[in-house]
Amino acid sequence: MKGIMNSEYGEIVIDSDVVATYAGSVAVECFGIVGMAAISMKDGLVKLLRRDSLKHGINVLINDNRISLTFHVIIAYGVSISTIAENLRDAVKYKVEEFTGMPVEKINILVEGVRVID
């Protein structure tokens, strides 16, 4: 799905991959987020995605120019999950709305793993 905005000069179309990439870069900057996760459907294993594949750990749905995001994250061991989730929601909502000009309607966070940070 794509977000479509009309301006006096024409139409602006934003692809969901653009939103996913931007939201992923915002997410990995948040305290307690180690990275985005990819789940292997074949064996059910979770792997940490490299920084250049962040969009694969995020599902984006754009409906009536309203954005819904689902994050698959790996978090740092020893940090409160509710604190990480609140921080992630606040940062992503603010920055994605500023970036796209579209409201973020829903943010789902699925914690797929925990890693110890050195």
PDB file of all heavy atoms in Angstrom, residues 23-60:
ATOM      1  N   ALA A  23      11.284   4.024   9.679  1.00  0.00           N
ATOM      2  CA  ALA A  23      10.871   3.590  11.015  1.00  0.00           C
ATOM      3  C   ALA A  23      11.912   2.652  11.632  1.00  0.00           C
ATOM      4  O   ALA A  23      12.189   2.732  12.837  1.00  0.00           O
ATOM      5  CB  ALA A  23       9.509   2.912  10.950  1.00  0.00           C
ATOM      6  N   GLY A  24      12.512   1.793  10.821  1.00  0.00           N
ATOM      7  CA  GLY A  24      13.560   0.897  11.319  1.00  0.00           C
ATOM      8  C   GLY A  24      14.791   1.641  11.774  1.00  0.00           C
ATOM      9  O   GLY A  24      15.391   1.309  12.799  1.00  0.00           O
ATOM     10  N   SER A  25      15.162   2.688  11.048  1.00  0.00           N
ATOM     11  CA  SER A  25      16.337   3.472  11.464  1.00  0.00           C
ATOM     12  C   SER A  25      16.056   4.234  12.750  1.00  0.00           C
ATOM     13  O   SER A  25      16.934   4.393  13.589  1.00  0.00           O
ATOM     14  CB  SER A  25      16.781   4.416  10.348  1.00  0.00           C
ATOM     15  OG  SER A  25      15.816   5.414  10.119  1.00  0.00           O
ATOM     16  N   VAL A  26      14.819   4.682  12.919  1.00  0.00           N
ATOM     17  CA  VAL A  26      14.442   5.352  14.174  1.00  0.00           C
ATOM     18  C   VAL A  26      14.452   4.340  15.319  1.00  0.00           C
ATOM     19  O   VAL A  26      14.952   4.623  16.413  1.00  0.00           O
ATOM     20  CB  VAL A  26      13.040   6.010  14.052  1.00  0.00           C
ATOM     21  CG1 VAL A  26      12.549   6.498  15.401  1.00  0.00           C
ATOM     22  CG2 VAL A  26      13.081   7.153  13.048  1.00  0.00           C
ATOM     23  N   ALA A  27      13.932   3.151  15.062  1.00  0.00           N
ATOM     24  CA  ALA A  27      13.829   2.125  16.107  1.00  0.00           C
ATOM     25  C   ALA A  27      15.191   1.706  16.651  1.00  0.00           C
ATOM     26  O   ALA A  27      15.358   1.573  17.866  1.00  0.00           O
ATOM     27  CB  ALA A  27      13.090   0.910  15.572  1.00  0.00           C
ATOM     28  N   VAL A  28      16.167   1.480  15.778  1.00  0.00           N
ATOM     29  CA  VAL A  28      17.468   1.012  16.265  1.00  0.00           C
ATOM     30  C   VAL A  28      18.240   2.092  17.016  1.00  0.00           C
ATOM     31  O   VAL A  28      19.207   1.777  17.703  1.00  0.00           O
ATOM     32  CB  VAL A  28      18.339   0.404  15.145  1.00  0.00           C
ATOM     33  CG1 VAL A  28      17.702  -0.845  14.576  1.00  0.00           C
ATOM     34  CG2 VAL A  28      18.635   1.394  14.053  1.00  0.00           C
ATOM     35  N   GLU A  29      17.795   3.341  16.926  1.00  0.00           N
ATOM     36  CA  GLU A  29      18.407   4.407  17.715  1.00  0.00           C
ATOM     37  C   GLU A  29      17.846   4.460  19.135  1.00  0.00           C
ATOM     38  O   GLU A  29      18.409   5.121  19.996  1.00  0.00           O
ATOM     39  CB  GLU A  29      18.185   5.757  17.041  1.00  0.00           C
ATOM     40  CG  GLU A  29      18.938   5.923  15.742  1.00  0.00           C
ATOM     41  CD  GLU A  29      18.609   7.225  15.030  1.00  0.00           C
ATOM     42  OE1 GLU A  29      17.803   8.015  15.566  1.00  0.00           O
ATOM     43  OE2 GLU A  29      19.145   7.441  13.939  1.00  0.00           O
ATOM     44  N   CYS A  30      16.737   3.776  19.384  1.00  0.00           N
ATOM     45  CA  CYS A  30      16.099   3.796  20.691  1.00  0.00           C
ATOM     46  C   CYS A  30      16.880   2.956  21.695  1.00  0.00           C
ATOM     47  O   CYS A  30      17.357   1.865  21.362  1.00  0.00           O
ATOM     48  CB  CYS A  30      14.665   3.271  20.602  1.00  0.00           C
ATOM     49  SG  CYS A  30      13.551   4.343  19.707  1.00  0.00           S
ATOM     50  N   PHE A  31      16.955   3.437  22.923  1.00  0.00           N
ATOM     51  CA  PHE A  31      17.645   2.726  23.994  1.00  0.00           C
ATOM     52  C   PHE A  31      16.974   1.373  24.237  1.00  0.00           C
ATOM     53  O   PHE A  31      15.760   1.273  24.314  1.00  0.00           O
ATOM     54  CB  PHE A  31      17.606   3.553  25.288  1.00  0.00           C
ATOM     55  CG  PHE A  31      18.173   2.821  26.460  1.00  0.00           C
ATOM     56  CD1 PHE A  31      19.532   2.660  26.593  1.00  0.00           C
ATOM     57  CD2 PHE A  31      17.341   2.270  27.419  1.00  0.00           C
ATOM     58  CE1 PHE A  31      20.062   1.977  27.669  1.00  0.00           C
ATOM     59  CE2 PHE A  31      17.857   1.588  28.496  1.00  0.00           C
ATOM     60  CZ  PHE A  31      19.218   1.440  28.623  1.00  0.00           C
ATOM     61  N   GLY A  32      17.782   0.326  24.311  1.00  0.00           N
ATOM     62  CA  GLY A  32      17.288  -1.004  24.622  1.00  0.00           C
ATOM     63  C   GLY A  32      16.976  -1.859  23.418  1.00  0.00           C
ATOM     64  O   GLY A  32      16.769  -3.062  23.545  1.00  0.00           O
ATOM     65  N   ILE A  33      16.928  -1.257  22.236  1.00  0.00           N
ATOM     66  CA  ILE A  33      16.676  -2.024  21.015  1.00  0.00           C
ATOM     67  C   ILE A  33      18.023  -2.452  20.432  1.00  0.00           C
ATOM     68  O   ILE A  33      18.834  -1.610  20.073  1.00  0.00           O
ATOM     69  CB  ILE A  33      15.895  -1.202  19.970  1.00  0.00           C
ATOM     70  CG1 ILE A  33      14.552  -0.737  20.518  1.00  0.00           C
ATOM     71  CG2 ILE A  33      15.732  -1.996  18.675  1.00  0.00           C
ATOM     72  CD1 ILE A  33      13.535  -1.828  20.728  1.00  0.00           C
ATOM     73  N   VAL A  34      18.249  -3.752  20.372  1.00  0.00           N
ATOM     74  CA  VAL A  34      19.489  -4.270  19.800  1.00  0.00           C
ATOM     75  C   VAL A  34      19.392  -4.244  18.285  1.00  0.00           C
ATOM     76  O   VAL A  34      20.344  -3.904  17.592  1.00  0.00           O
ATOM     77  CB  VAL A  34      19.761  -5.710  20.295  1.00  0.00           C
ATOM     78  CG1 VAL A  34      20.979  -6.305  19.612  1.00  0.00           C
ATOM     79  CG2 VAL A  34      19.927  -5.727  21.805  1.00  0.00           C
ATOM     80  N   GLY A  35      18.222  -4.585  17.751  1.00  0.00           N
ATOM     81  CA  GLY A  35      18.028  -4.580  16.313  1.00  0.00           C
ATOM     82  C   GLY A  35      16.688  -5.150  15.933  1.00  0.00           C
ATOM     83  O   GLY A  35      15.881  -5.518  16.786  1.00  0.00           O
ATOM     84  N   MET A  36      16.465  -5.238  14.638  1.00  0.00           N
ATOM     85  CA  MET A  36      15.234  -5.800  14.109  1.00  0.00           C
ATOM     86  C   MET A  36      15.436  -7.298  13.917  1.00  0.00           C
ATOM     87  O   MET A  36      16.547  -7.760  13.682  1.00  0.00           O
ATOM     88  CB  MET A  36      14.870  -5.146  12.778  1.00  0.00           C
ATOM     89  CG  MET A  36      14.790  -3.629  12.829  1.00  0.00           C
ATOM     90  SD  MET A  36      13.792  -2.973  14.168  1.00  0.00           S
ATOM     91  CE  MET A  36      12.202  -3.512  13.660  1.00  0.00           C
ATOM     92  N   ALA A  37      14.343  -8.059  13.995  1.00  0.00           N
ATOM     93  CA  ALA A  37      14.419  -9.511  13.904  1.00  0.00           C
ATOM     94  C   ALA A  37      13.748 -10.023  12.646  1.00  0.00           C
ATOM     95  O   ALA A  37      12.747  -9.471  12.202  1.00  0.00           O
ATOM     96  CB  ALA A  37      13.750 -10.131  15.126  1.00  0.00           C
ATOM     97  N   ALA A  38      14.309 -11.080  12.100  1.00  0.00           N
ATOM     98  CA  ALA A  38      13.676 -11.818  11.003  1.00  0.00           C
ATOM     99  C   ALA A  38      13.453 -13.234  11.499  1.00  0.00           C
ATOM    100  O   ALA A  38      14.335 -13.841  12.096  1.00  0.00           O
ATOM    101  CB  ALA A  38      14.572 -11.817   9.781  1.00  0.00           C
ATOM    102  N   ILE A  39      12.264 -13.748  11.243  1.00  0.00           N
ATOM    103  CA  ILE A  39      11.931 -15.087  11.700  1.00  0.00           C
ATOM    104  C   ILE A  39      11.928 -16.022  10.507  1.00  0.00           C
ATOM    105  O   ILE A  39      11.271 -15.756   9.507  1.00  0.00           O
ATOM    106  CB  ILE A  39      10.552 -15.103  12.372  1.00  0.00           C
ATOM    107  CG1 ILE A  39      10.536 -14.126  13.534  1.00  0.00           C
ATOM    108  CG2 ILE A  39      10.190 -16.501  12.838  1.00  0.00           C
ATOM    109  CD1 ILE A  39       9.172 -13.843  14.057  1.00  0.00           C
ATOM    110  N   SER A  40      12.669 -17.107  10.632  1.00  0.00           N
ATOM    111  CA  SER A  40      12.687 -18.111   9.577  1.00  0.00           C
ATOM    112  C   SER A  40      11.444 -18.981   9.731  1.00  0.00           C
ATOM    113  O   SER A  40      11.271 -19.650  10.744  1.00  0.00           O
ATOM    114  CB  SER A  40      13.948 -18.965   9.695  1.00  0.00           C
ATOM    115  OG  SER A  40      13.847 -20.075   8.854  1.00  0.00           O
ATOM    116  N   MET A  41      10.584 -18.943   8.736  1.00  0.00           N
ATOM    117  CA  MET A  41       9.358 -19.738   8.802  1.00  0.00           C
ATOM    118  C   MET A  41       9.663 -21.236   8.759  1.00  0.00           C
ATOM    119  O   MET A  41       8.924 -22.033   9.311  1.00  0.00           O
ATOM    120  CB  MET A  41       8.426 -19.371   7.639  1.00  0.00           C
ATOM    121  CG  MET A  41       7.912 -17.973   7.717  1.00  0.00           C
ATOM    122  SD  MET A  41       7.073 -17.720   9.269  1.00  0.00           S
ATOM    123  CE  MET A  41       6.326 -16.157   8.968  1.00  0.00           C
ATOM    124  N   LYS A  42      10.776 -21.584   8.131  1.00  0.00           N
ATOM    125  CA  LYS A  42      11.129 -22.987   7.984  1.00  0.00           C
ATOM    126  C   LYS A  42      11.474 -23.629   9.320  1.00  0.00           C
ATOM    127  O   LYS A  42      10.939 -24.661   9.675  1.00  0.00           O
ATOM    128  CB  LYS A  42      12.315 -23.098   7.018  1.00  0.00           C
ATOM    129  CG  LYS A  42      12.686 -24.508   6.665  1.00  0.00           C
ATOM    130  CD  LYS A  42      13.733 -24.512   5.575  1.00  0.00           C
ATOM    131  CE  LYS A  42      14.929 -25.268   6.067  1.00  0.00           C
ATOM    132  NZ  LYS A  42      16.044 -25.215   5.162  1.00  0.00           N
ATOM    133  N   ASP A  43      12.365 -22.992  10.101  1.00  0.00           N
ATOM    134  CA  ASP A  43      12.776 -23.588  11.369  1.00  0.00           C
ATOM    135  C   ASP A  43      12.323 -22.802  12.584  1.00  0.00           C
ATOM    136  O   ASP A  43      12.601 -23.209  13.696  1.00  0.00           O
ATOM    137  CB  ASP A  43      14.289 -23.814  11.436  1.00  0.00           C
ATOM    138  CG  ASP A  43      15.109 -23.082  10.425  1.00  0.00           C
ATOM    139  OD1 ASP A  43      14.559 -22.615   9.456  1.00  0.00           O
ATOM    140  OD2 ASP A  43      16.325 -22.996  10.618  1.00  0.00           O
ATOM    141  N   GLY A  44      11.664 -21.668  12.416  1.00  0.00           N
ATOM    142  CA  GLY A  44      11.196 -20.893  13.554  1.00  0.00           C
ATOM    143  C   GLY A  44      12.300 -20.149  14.283  1.00  0.00           C
ATOM    144  O   GLY A  44      12.100 -19.691  15.396  1.00  0.00           O
ATOM    145  N   LEU A  45      13.483 -20.029  13.663  1.00  0.00           N
ATOM    146  CA  LEU A  45      14.602 -19.337  14.304  1.00  0.00           C
ATOM    147  C   LEU A  45      14.507 -17.829  14.078  1.00  0.00           C
ATOM    148  O   LEU A  45      14.034 -17.374  13.048  1.00  0.00           O
ATOM    149  CB  LEU A  45      15.929 -19.849  13.758  1.00  0.00           C
ATOM    150  CG  LEU A  45      16.242 -21.314  14.038  1.00  0.00           C
ATOM    151  CD1 LEU A  45      17.510 -21.710  13.318  1.00  0.00           C
ATOM    152  CD2 LEU A  45      16.365 -21.553  15.529  1.00  0.00           C
ATOM    153  N   VAL A  46      14.985 -17.094  15.064  1.00  0.00           N
ATOM    154  CA  VAL A  46      15.000 -15.634  14.974  1.00  0.00           C
ATOM    155  C   VAL A  46      16.437 -15.204  14.748  1.00  0.00           C
ATOM    156  O   VAL A  46      17.346 -15.666  15.429  1.00  0.00           O
ATOM    157  CB  VAL A  46      14.469 -15.007  16.286  1.00  0.00           C
ATOM    158  CG1 VAL A  46      14.600 -13.505  16.248  1.00  0.00           C
ATOM    159  CG2 VAL A  46      13.033 -15.413  16.527  1.00  0.00           C
ATOM    160  N   LYS A  47      16.640 -14.304  13.771  1.00  0.00           N
ATOM    161  CA  LYS A  47      17.996 -13.805  13.559  1.00  0.00           C
ATOM    162  C   LYS A  47      17.985 -12.286  13.540  1.00  0.00           C
ATOM    163  O   LYS A  47      17.000 -11.664  13.146  1.00  0.00           O
ATOM    164  CB  LYS A  47      18.618 -14.377  12.287  1.00  0.00           C
ATOM    165  CG  LYS A  47      18.091 -13.799  11.015  1.00  0.00           C
ATOM    166  CD  LYS A  47      18.883 -14.342   9.832  1.00  0.00           C
ATOM    167  CE  LYS A  47      18.524 -13.554   8.598  1.00  0.00           C
ATOM    168  NZ  LYS A  47      19.268 -13.931   7.440  1.00  0.00           N
ATOM    169  N   LEU A  48      19.065 -11.721  13.992  1.00  0.00           N
ATOM    170  CA  LEU A  48      19.247 -10.279  14.016  1.00  0.00           C
ATOM    171  C   LEU A  48      19.574  -9.798  12.618  1.00  0.00           C
ATOM    172  O   LEU A  48      20.472 -10.318  11.968  1.00  0.00           O
ATOM    173  CB  LEU A  48      20.389  -9.925  14.985  1.00  0.00           C
ATOM    174  CG  LEU A  48      20.692  -8.467  15.239  1.00  0.00           C
ATOM    175  CD1 LEU A  48      19.508  -7.779  15.902  1.00  0.00           C
ATOM    176  CD2 LEU A  48      21.925  -8.343  16.134  1.00  0.00           C
ATOM    177  N   LEU A  49      18.813  -8.808  12.155  1.00  0.00           N
ATOM    178  CA  LEU A  49      19.033  -8.275  10.812  1.00  0.00           C
ATOM    179  C   LEU A  49      20.163  -7.255  10.806  1.00  0.00           C
ATOM    180  O   LEU A  49      20.340  -6.509  11.778  1.00  0.00           O
ATOM    181  CB  LEU A  49      17.762  -7.611  10.294  1.00  0.00           C
ATOM    182  CG  LEU A  49      16.591  -8.537  10.003  1.00  0.00           C
ATOM    183  CD1 LEU A  49      15.341  -7.732   9.720  1.00  0.00           C
ATOM    184  CD2 LEU A  49      16.909  -9.442   8.835  1.00  0.00           C
ATOM    185  N   ARG A  50      20.900  -7.200   9.704  1.00  0.00           N
ATOM    186  CA  ARG A  50      21.926  -6.175   9.553  1.00  0.00           C
ATOM    187  C   ARG A  50      21.254  -4.825   9.384  1.00  0.00           C
ATOM    188  O   ARG A  50      20.080  -4.729   9.044  1.00  0.00           O
ATOM    189  CB  ARG A  50      22.796  -6.478   8.337  1.00  0.00           C
ATOM    190  CG  ARG A  50      23.625  -7.720   8.486  1.00  0.00           C
ATOM    191  CD  ARG A  50      24.549  -7.856   7.310  1.00  0.00           C
ATOM    192  NE  ARG A  50      23.907  -7.359   6.099  1.00  0.00           N
ATOM    193  CZ  ARG A  50      23.884  -7.990   4.943  1.00  0.00           C
ATOM    194  NH1 ARG A  50      24.472  -9.146   4.833  1.00  0.00           N
ATOM    195  NH2 ARG A  50      23.291  -7.479   3.891  1.00  0.00           N
ATOM    196  N   ARG A  51      22.010  -3.787   9.567  1.00  0.00           N
ATOM    197  CA  ARG A  51      21.470  -2.430   9.507  1.00  0.00           C
ATOM    198  C   ARG A  51      20.911  -2.064   8.134  1.00  0.00           C
ATOM    199  O   ARG A  51      20.021  -1.245   8.030  1.00  0.00           O
ATOM    200  CB  ARG A  51      22.568  -1.436   9.896  1.00  0.00           C
ATOM    201  CG  ARG A  51      22.032  -0.374  10.780  1.00  0.00           C
ATOM    202  CD  ARG A  51      23.130   0.448  11.405  1.00  0.00           C
ATOM    203  NE  ARG A  51      22.693   1.797  11.606  1.00  0.00           N
ATOM    204  CZ  ARG A  51      21.885   2.180  12.553  1.00  0.00           C
ATOM    205  NH1 ARG A  51      21.409   1.296  13.399  1.00  0.00           N
ATOM    206  NH2 ARG A  51      21.526   3.427  12.678  1.00  0.00           N
ATOM    207  N   ASP A  52      21.401  -2.706   7.093  1.00  0.00           N
ATOM    208  CA  ASP A  52      20.898  -2.385   5.756  1.00  0.00           C
ATOM    209  C   ASP A  52      19.636  -3.167   5.384  1.00  0.00           C
ATOM    210  O   ASP A  52      19.092  -2.990   4.310  1.00  0.00           O
ATOM    211  CB  ASP A  52      21.987  -2.582   4.698  1.00  0.00           C
ATOM    212  CG  ASP A  52      22.551  -3.985   4.679  1.00  0.00           C
ATOM    213  OD1 ASP A  52      22.348  -4.724   5.651  1.00  0.00           O
ATOM    214  OD2 ASP A  52      23.205  -4.340   3.691  1.00  0.00           O
ATOM    215  N   SER A  53      19.152  -4.045   6.268  1.00  0.00           N
ATOM    216  CA  SER A  53      17.911  -4.787   5.994  1.00  0.00           C
ATOM    217  C   SER A  53      16.858  -4.533   7.058  1.00  0.00           C
ATOM    218  O   SER A  53      16.086  -5.423   7.373  1.00  0.00           O
ATOM    219  CB  SER A  53      18.156  -6.283   5.955  1.00  0.00           C
ATOM    220  OG  SER A  53      19.436  -6.655   5.776  1.00  0.00           O
ATOM    221  N   LEU A  54      16.829  -3.350   7.609  1.00  0.00           N
ATOM    222  CA  LEU A  54      15.911  -3.053   8.705  1.00  0.00           C
ATOM    223  C   LEU A  54      14.449  -3.176   8.307  1.00  0.00           C
ATOM    224  O   LEU A  54      13.624  -3.557   9.119  1.00  0.00           O
ATOM    225  CB  LEU A  54      16.172  -1.640   9.233  1.00  0.00           C
ATOM    226  CG  LEU A  54      17.533  -1.413   9.870  1.00  0.00           C
ATOM    227  CD1 LEU A  54      17.700   0.056  10.230  1.00  0.00           C
ATOM    228  CD2 LEU A  54      17.688  -2.276  11.094  1.00  0.00           C
ATOM    229  N   LYS A  55      14.133  -2.873   7.090  1.00  0.00           N
ATOM    230  CA  LYS A  55      12.727  -2.877   6.679  1.00  0.00           C
ATOM    231  C   LYS A  55      12.118  -4.274   6.712  1.00  0.00           C
ATOM    232  O   LYS A  55      10.910  -4.418   6.755  1.00  0.00           O
ATOM    233  CB  LYS A  55      12.548  -2.245   5.311  1.00  0.00           C
ATOM    234  CG  LYS A  55      13.093  -3.052   4.171  1.00  0.00           C
ATOM    235  CD  LYS A  55      12.860  -2.347   2.855  1.00  0.00           C
ATOM    236  CE  LYS A  55      13.419  -3.171   1.718  1.00  0.00           C
ATOM    237  NZ  LYS A  55      13.262  -2.527   0.451  1.00  0.00           N
ATOM    238  N   HIS A  56      12.937  -5.323   6.726  1.00  0.00           N
ATOM    239  CA  HIS A  56      12.411  -6.689   6.750  1.00  0.00           C
ATOM    240  C   HIS A  56      11.880  -7.074   8.124  1.00  0.00           C
ATOM    241  O   HIS A  56      11.155  -8.046   8.235  1.00  0.00           O
ATOM    242  CB  HIS A  56      13.475  -7.684   6.296  1.00  0.00           C
ATOM    243  CG  HIS A  56      13.917  -7.447   4.885  1.00  0.00           C
ATOM    244  ND1 HIS A  56      13.060  -7.587   3.816  1.00  0.00           N
ATOM    245  CD2 HIS A  56      15.088  -7.038   4.378  1.00  0.00           C
ATOM    246  CE1 HIS A  56      13.702  -7.288   2.704  1.00  0.00           C
ATOM    247  NE2 HIS A  56      14.944  -6.951   3.014  1.00  0.00           N
ATOM    248  N   GLY A  57      12.211  -6.330   9.159  1.00  0.00           N
ATOM    249  CA  GLY A  57      11.697  -6.603  10.495  1.00  0.00           C
ATOM    250  C   GLY A  57      10.477  -5.767  10.841  1.00  0.00           C
ATOM    251  O   GLY A  57      10.036  -5.750  11.985  1.00  0.00           O
ATOM    252  N   ILE A  58       9.909  -5.071   9.847  1.00  0.00           N
ATOM    253  CA  ILE A  58       8.784  -4.171  10.080  1.00  0.00           C
ATOM    254  C   ILE A  58       7.713  -4.425   9.027  1.00  0.00           C
ATOM    255  O   ILE A  58       8.009  -4.503   7.838  1.00  0.00           O
ATOM    256  CB  ILE A  58       9.220  -2.699   9.998  1.00  0.00           C
ATOM    257  CG1 ILE A  58      10.320  -2.422  11.005  1.00  0.00           C
ATOM    258  CG2 ILE A  58       8.035  -1.764  10.243  1.00  0.00           C
ATOM    259  CD1 ILE A  58      10.957  -1.072  10.843  1.00  0.00           C
ATOM    260  N   ASN A  59       6.479  -4.522   9.478  1.00  0.00           N
ATOM    261  CA  ASN A  59       5.342  -4.597   8.560  1.00  0.00           C
ATOM    262  C   ASN A  59       4.639  -3.248   8.591  1.00  0.00           C
ATOM    263  O   ASN A  59       4.346  -2.724   9.668  1.00  0.00           O
ATOM    264  CB  ASN A  59       4.362  -5.685   8.980  1.00  0.00           C
ATOM    265  CG  ASN A  59       4.971  -7.061   8.936  1.00  0.00           C
ATOM    266  OD1 ASN A  59       6.052  -7.244   8.389  1.00  0.00           O
ATOM    267  ND2 ASN A  59       4.296  -8.022   9.507  1.00  0.00           N
ATOM    268  N   VAL A  60       4.376  -2.700   7.418  1.00  0.00           N
ATOM    269  CA  VAL A  60       3.717  -1.394   7.304  1.00  0.00           C
ATOM    270  C   VAL A  60       2.411  -1.573   6.551  1.00  0.00           C
ATOM    271  O   VAL A  60       2.379  -2.205   5.498  1.00  0.00           O
ATOM    272  CB  VAL A  60       4.613  -0.381   6.542  1.00  0.00           C
ATOM    273  CG1 VAL A  60       3.888   0.936   6.363  1.00  0.00           C
ATOM    274  CG2 VAL A  60       5.931  -0.189   7.265  1.00  0.00           C
TER     275      VAL A  60
END
